[in-house]
Amino acid sequence: YSQIGQAYIKMKQFDKGIEYSNYAKPYMKDSSNSLAFLYNDYIKCYTGKGNLDSITKYYKEIYKLISKEDSLHISVSSANRYMAEYFIAKGNIAKASFFAKKANTFAEKSNDEEILMEARVTQGKLLYQQKQFDKAIAVLKQASTHAYEFDKTSFIIINQLLAQSYAQIG
């Protein structure tokens, strides 16, 4: 159910993504890692629908899952990255910056190269929006190291932002 929901999310059919995430939820109630990934799926759906109340609800739910034994750095980084992306799209750079910094912090703690790449892409977008093109280039170059291997869409976004940043500085 979760994978079907994720397919709908990629197709931007967020109501169907929510529907299948709801089907998956009963099967994940005993696993904080699985629930954290599912809650991130909800965040992606509600971000697509522009529903900040529901985005915030599931963002908080992820933090409730953190225990001393399992810090869920990957899921927490992702949740913060989705929040940053939401606020970048809304033009609220201050809030986007707050969440982007948290996404980077947890990505670094996770020691997961893909999550770190994704957090850096968001940071690069934010720096570009702030017209800090040299900093954006530096961060995006770091993100591009393994991006093609992880996610071709991110690789394309990185290169678009790099090209735009270079164009801005001539």
Side-chain angles (χ1 to χ4, degrees):
Y1 290 130
S2 177
Q3 290 176 341
I4 293 169
Q6 290 169 13
Y8 278 117
I9 293 167
K10 284 187 178 189
M11 294 184 290
K12 299 190 183 320
Q13 294 183 23
F14 303 115
D15 289 328
K16 285 297 227 179
I18 293 167
E19 178 183 341
Y20 278 88
S21 293
N22 288 339
Y23 293 148
K25 192 174 182 181
Y27 298 101
M28 298 182 175
K29 64 183 174 191
D30 296 330
S31 170
S32 60
N33 280 331
S34 295
L35 275 174
F37 281 106
L38 184 69
Y39 291 160
N40 273 316
D41 287 344
Y42 281 115
I43 291 171
K44 287 186 265 187
C45 289
Y46 287 114
T47 297
K49 293 172 64 75
N51 185 332
L52 183 57
D53 289 340
S54 294
I55 296 166
T56 303
K57 172 188 172 187
Y58 287 103
Y59 176 83
K60 289 177 180 177
E61 289 295 323
I62 289 172
Y63 274 89
K64 289 179 187 176
L65 297 172
I66 297 173
S67 68
K68 290 180 181 176
E69 299 82 35
D70 183 8
S71 54
L72 300 172
H73 295 306
I74 291 171
S75 294
V76 174
S77 176
S78 294
N80 280 288
R81 184 171 50 85
Y82 299 138
M83 294 295 282
E85 294 278 346
Y86 174 83
F87 286 111
I88 288 170
K90 295 293 183 188
N92 189 334
I93 302 303
K95 281 191 176 182
S97 181
F98 171 79
F99 289 110
K101 286 177 187 171
K102 289 177 79 169
N104 279 324
T105 298
F106 285 101
E108 288 171 3
K109 288 180 182 181
S110 76
N111 291 318
D112 184 288
E113 286 296 322
E114 185 174 4
I115 294 301
L116 191 54
M117 179 269 303
E118 291 172 351
R120 286 177 176 156
V121 171
T122 299
Q123 184 183 16
K125 286 179 187 177
L126 181 61
L127 290 166
Y128 180 84
Q129 292 292 324
Q130 294 172 319
K131 300 187 184 329
Q132 296 181 35
F133 305 114
D134 289 328
K135 289 181 181 179
I137 290 168
V139 169
L140 291 165
K141 280 184 175 181
Q142 288 178 321
S144 71
T145 306
H146 301 290
Y148 188 80
E149 300 163 28
F150 294 131
D151 180 25
K152 306 232 183 337
T153 303
S154 292
F155 183 73
I156 292 168
I157 292 167
I158 291 167
N159 283 299
Q160 287 174 331
L161 286 168
L162 279 168
Q164 291 167 346
S165 296
Y166 279 120
Q168 290 294 326
I169 61 173

